[in-house]
Amino acid sequence: MREFTPEYLEHTRRGMWESTAALDPLELDSRARVLDVGCGTGELSRVLAAESPGDVIGVDADTALLGVAREATGLPTVAGDATRLPFRADAADLVVCQALLINLPDPTAAVREFARVSSDLVAAIEPDNAAVEVSSTVDAEERLEREVREAYLAGVETDVAMGERVGDLFEAAGLDVIARRTYHHEKLVEPPYSEPAMESAAKKASGAGIAEHERELRAAGADYDDLRAAWREMGRDVVRAMGEERYRRREVVPFEVTVGRV
Ligand SMILES: C[S@@+](CC[C@H](N)C(=O)[O-])C[C@H]1O[C@@H](n2cnc3c(N)ncnc32)[C@H](O)[C@@H]1O
């Protein structure tokens, strides 16, 4: 199972659901019991709880992340595998996940399990990592990010660019797809820089960030050592430009929101 740090999840989800319009088809205002499967640190659970009068429960296979989610959201959590949920049939009227299916070797098995546990709606909010767009005032950043992303996509074992194919998984699990939305999560880095933005730049300069993907990059046949050296040099340029307050970066990650009825 791919592991995620609380810092990574908090950083990548910051500000994601400031506008919740794309979540309208989840009918949150009429839900009685919602399961957020693969909840991580509870970034989505918090939004679900704010938008729904019902109970929200976070479920994840990583008990350390569940501890962070409980502490951060005050919501109940349950340890469990997405493909064998520790809930009876029809235990919830919405089972939802965010950025979970792209990390599973058998995402269809998970969607089938969601359909078993939900009496009404199932929803997935999954990024299309092949369609991420980056622009930056540091010349090499855009090119290197594209190169690393393409190699990562070629070397990773799960379908991290599932995008619109989530609907096919729903249909394979016997769900009627009732809505699809694309939500663009825009992340801006500009002065004054936040603490997490500075930490992220430092991670580029040290090579710690790219090292997390070493296995996938090597599997894709990339020259990892060359790539890492170029990446670190780019990171040092980013840190320098931040020191002079002349660094700007914009990233847009498209998320497909798919909603099905059992
Ligand atoms: C990319 S994170 C997404 C976390 C959260 N949904 C969010 O969007 O911030 C994927 C999460 O799925 C969890 N996960 C991975 N495989 C799982 C499985 N088989 N069953 C339950 N959770 C799983 C990981 O522990 C991690 O918390």
Side-chain angles (χ1 to χ4, degrees):
M1 189 177 86
R2 199 168 296 148
E3 289 189 0
F4 297 88
T5 63
E7 295 74 25
Y8 169 83
L9 293 176
E10 286 154 6
H11 178 56
T12 50
R13 303 290 180 253
R14 188 161 288 118
M16 178 165 173
W17 289 114
E18 272 165 17
S19 163
T20 55
L23 298 178
D24 285 354
L26 277 67
E27 302 176 17
L28 291 170
D29 55 356
S30 64
R31 297 301 98 188
R33 199 158 188 240
V34 180
L35 301 185
D36 177 12
V37 183
C39 66
T41 48
E43 307 303 317
L44 176 69
S45 316
R46 188 184 292 113
V47 178
L48 300 170
E51 299 289 316
S52 170
D55 298 329
V56 176
I57 302 172
V59 183
D60 205 285
D62 185 328
T63 51
L65 289 181
L66 279 184
V68 178
R70 250 193 328 274
E71 178 92 355
T73 64
L75 295 168
T77 62
V78 173
D81 187 317
T83 59
R84 283 172 288 127
L85 290 173
F87 295 93
R88 60 172 172 74
D90 298 344
D93 55 359
L94 170 64
V95 178
V96 54
C97 66
Q98 176 172 279
L100 168 73
L101 301 179
I102 57 161
N103 290 300
L104 299 181
D106 186 359
T108 311
V111 178
R112 273 204 201 96
E113 184 65 348
F114 295 179
R116 178 188 70 79
V117 169
S118 178
S119 61
D120 189 21
L121 297 180
V122 171
I125 303 159
E126 296 293 325
D128 183 349
N129 285 308
V132 173
E133 284 175 17
V134 174
S135 56
S136 165
T137 51
V138 168
D139 283 346
E141 187 168 21
E142 203 172 309
R143 178 181 50 78
L144 274 172
E145 290 223 8
R146 190 176 332 106
E147 209 175 309
V148 167
R149 188 175 328 108
E150 282 169 5
Y152 177 77
L153 288 166
V156 70
E157 281 160 3
T158 63
D159 186 0
V160 296
M162 202 175 271
E164 290 173 3
R165 287 193 303 280
V166 175
D168 300 339
L169 298 187
F170 273 42
E171 277 158 14
L175 292 161
D176 284 335
V177 175
I178 58 166
R180 293 170 194 251
R181 300 264 170 100
T182 305
Y183 174 72
H184 291 98
H185 177 34
E186 184 187 55
K187 290 181 267 187
L188 289 176
V189 178
E190 56 190 6
Y193 305 112
S194 65
E195 194 63 34
M198 290 197 282
E199 282 164 14
S200 168
K203 247 178 122 177
K204 279 183 177 144
S206 71
I210 196 169
E212 287 167 10
H213 303 309
E214 177 174 354
R215 194 169 53 84
E216 290 85 358
L217 297 176
R218 287 195 190 277
D223 187 332
Y224 175 74
D225 297 321
D226 277 4
L227 209 47
R228 180 171 179 272
W231 186 267
R232 291 192 63 192
E233 196 180 318
M234 174 271 285
R236 286 193 287 271
D237 286 346
V238 169
V239 170
R240 239 187 321 274
M242 282 176 117
E244 295 161 11
E245 300 217 327
R246 56 181 172 78
Y247 176 68
R248 279 178 179 70
R249 176 181 191 277
R250 177 176 180 267
E251 177 179 309
V252 180
V253 183
F255 280 79
E256 296 300 323
V257 179
T258 310
V259 184
R261 186 154 262 136
V262 294

